[in-house]
Amino acid sequence: MRYREWFLVGIFGATVLNLAASPVPASTFANIRVPGTEFIEASGLNNYGQIVGSYFLAATGTQHGFLRDRGILTDIDVPGATFTFPEGINDRGQIVGSYFVFESGIQHGFLLDRGTITTIDGPSASRTLLHGINIRGQIVGSYLVSGTGVQHGFLLNGATLTNIDVPGGNFTEPYSINNRGQIVGSYLDSNLRTSHGFVFSQGTFTTINAPGATLTVARGINNRGQIVGFRLGGSVPLAGFLLDRGTLSNVVIPGAPFTNANGINDRGQIVGHYTDSVGTQYGFIMN
């Protein structure tokens, strides 16, 4: 099954939120590893602690998705795909992500629900990415219109697709949606040089700028309104962040030169990935 009928709507209105940094919160973390890999990313999690992500096998040149449930990793592979990237999971266990077929050169979105995979493509799209899904089954992601270089963010609610484009911005990328319908993501400014995070709530976009950063990406939001993401520049080269009631804190794995925070649940657990001193990338879950 593929979604074929779309209803397109524009969304407008924006404000800007500039933040000051605060100390790193006390936390503990655990690695998420797959034997034989040098690249693994934890992309999202739900309130039951189930985690989705992907890992790369250099020996075969393939990217595999995974579900981690109570410490057990299960592969998620779309049949016929060269790469599979699960990114979001809700409390019903529905999973969204994207997959790439080498022969066609096209990237598709997918929904995995009770063992059934449904392909989801944006209208006239050469690339569709699904990033997040909430308890109501609302999905956020982006699509690239074939042959145009134009990218739109979107909200998919049932069979209705609504474009989400930050006014005055380029390449809007919504990453996560909570059960209240609040959406976070990123966009490029008009000169295509600076990436900003955003939160979209009740018809209004609010820009998120980490202090001193040239790149700010908001990746996850929970039902309490806590936001995680990552930023480039400022007090550390590349670090994750937690934005909680207006206070922005660094999320950094000790000794790691690069840390990305990708998702957060209502218990405050954070997932993401980090790179060690020799360039190996691990997934993590942080409490």
Side-chain angles (χ1 to χ4, degrees), residues 39 64 103:
F39 177 97
H64 302 271
E103 290 77 11

Side-chain angles (χ1 to χ4, degrees), residues 86-99:
E87 293 202 46
I89 182 170
N90 64 15
D91 286 347
R92 295 165 61 187
Q94 295 172 308
I95 296 169
V96 293
S98 62
Y99 68 94

Side-chain angles (χ1 to χ4, degrees), residues 34-39 55-64 82-83:
V34 175
T37 68
E38 294 184 352
F39 177 97
Y55 64 92
F56 180 73
L57 286 178
T60 60
T62 54
Q63 188 93 11
H64 302 271
T82 312
F83 305 111

